[in-house]
Amino acid sequence: MKLSKHVKQSRQDSGLFLPPGPRWIKALMAILLAAGTTTACGTAGGEPPRQYTPAQQRMLARFGDIGYELKVDAMKGEEFLGVNFYVVGLSRPFYGKAHQTLRNEVRLAMNGPIPEHVRIVWRRTGKVGSGPKNYDDYVDDIIGDEVIEVGSRIPQEVIDDLKRDPKGSLRLKFRMSRQGTLLGWDIERRPGYDPNKRDQFGQAMYAATVYSGVGGDFREAKIFNGKVVRPGWYIDRKTGNKIETDF
């Protein structure tokens, strides 16, 4: 089997040495190498590399690309309409809710850099426009608009703990409040099975979830079977006092 002119030229252009062997093997290797070289050079029409803002670059340098869980609710008895969360510096929101309360808590797995600062807005109503419902089509007047510090508040020991044991999940918790949105954080880990606990079929049950590195402006109460087994708390913005809660 003779090498075609195209294959010979591809082999020369690749600049790579092909080991001796049957001609058909060398021809196949030449084609594959030529294709690989073209793809590596970015001429195959691939997507351009993602561009990060300076704030995102700072957060990537601090945290790495660890991902996190977003948890959003509101103070007991309060509600917020047409809610959007934005990473400061970006125009597209990363979270939206037409009606946010304590009862309709949202938990989402998130990718991308930890936000350094987050802008939070809410509106007179949760009325949406005619566009697709992609978190940015609320159209009523904005009545609340605030920016809070997020990623730069997380203590270094929490970051070190996550890097030491990457099985943990960082949770960023936002509790909307008329005093201003509260930020909390912790690390959630599932230790695995508990050999001393069995279900009705005799199978080992998961051990209770463990939370560490708890900090910020609030912590939610732990409720089991409708009863508070660990009170929550928040820092009152006016007095600075820690207020115990049952939610």
Side-chain angles (χ1 to χ4, degrees):
M1 173 181 175
K2 293 184 178 181
L3 298 180
S4 68
K5 182 178 179 181
H6 171 73
V7 171
K8 288 180 179 179
Q9 186 63 41
S10 298
R11 182 171 61 178
Q12 294 170 358
D13 292 343
S14 70
L16 299 174
F17 173 74
L18 296 178
R23 290 183 177 181
W24 70 271
I25 296 178
K26 293 195 290 183
L28 177 61
M29 291 178 65
I31 294 171
L32 294 174
L33 286 169
T37 302
T38 301
T39 303
C41 292
T43 58
E47 294 183 1
R50 182 175 178 180
Q51 300 297 317
Y52 292 110
T53 67
Q56 288 178 309
Q57 292 173 9
R58 287 193 293 270
M59 293 298 97
L60 283 170
R62 187 162 192 245
F63 289 90
D65 190 13
I66 62 172
Y68 63 98
E69 181 183 276
L70 174 70
K71 181 176 180 293
V72 184
D73 62 18
M75 290 289 279
K76 189 174 184 179
E78 298 183 6
E79 65 176 8
F80 299 84
L81 307 176
V83 174
N84 280 134
F85 284 26
Y86 301 83
V87 174
V88 170
L90 300 181
S91 60
R92 185 181 178 87
F94 65 91
Y95 175 76
K97 192 75 170 175
H99 182 216
Q100 186 71 66
T101 67
L102 176 67
R103 291 183 177 274
N104 66 355
E105 166 196 304
V106 175
R107 298 178 65 169
L108 298 171
M110 306 294 289
N111 294 317
I114 305 294
E116 185 177 53
H117 292 84
V118 170
R119 179 190 175 208
I120 301 168
V121 303
W122 59 96
R123 297 168 174 81
R124 195 174 305 281
T125 70
K127 182 181 178 181
V128 297
S130 58
K133 295 182 178 179
N134 55 3
Y135 297 164
D136 59 355
D137 57 352
Y138 301 120
V139 295
D140 214 339
D141 296 336
I142 292 176
I143 61 172
D145 192 335
E146 59 179 335
V147 173
I148 66 172
E149 183 181 6
V150 179
S152 45
R153 287 188 61 189
I154 309 299
Q156 186 62 44
E157 53 265 30
V158 171
I159 301 171
D160 294 341
D161 191 350
L162 285 164
K163 291 180 178 179
R164 175 187 58 80
D165 182 2
K167 292 181 180 179
S169 174
L170 176 65
R171 298 199 306 165
L172 294 181
K173 305 178 294 182
F174 296 83
R175 175 158 284 174
M176 298 186 70
S177 166
R178 297 301 179 193
Q179 288 190 356
T181 300
L182 306 173
L183 170 70
W185 60 80
D186 58 34
I187 299 173
E188 180 182 68
R189 287 191 173 97
R190 297 182 180 274
Y193 290 104
D194 185 341
N196 298 317
K197 292 184 178 181
R198 301 281 171 171
D199 62 18
Q200 58 180 331
F201 304 106
Q203 300 295 320
M205 298 176 63
Y206 274 109
T209 302
V210 175
Y211 297 94
S212 60
V214 178
D217 307 317
F218 82 101
R219 188 183 192 185
E220 69 279 18
K222 181 178 180 180
I223 300 175
F224 183 73
N225 287 336
K227 296 182 179 181
V228 176
V229 296
R230 188 203 65 232
W233 53 264
Y234 72 95
I235 305 299
D236 186 91
R237 292 286 178 86
K238 295 179 180 179
T239 65
N241 295 330
K242 180 181 283 190
I243 309 298
E244 192 172 280
T245 69
D246 59 358
F247 60 91

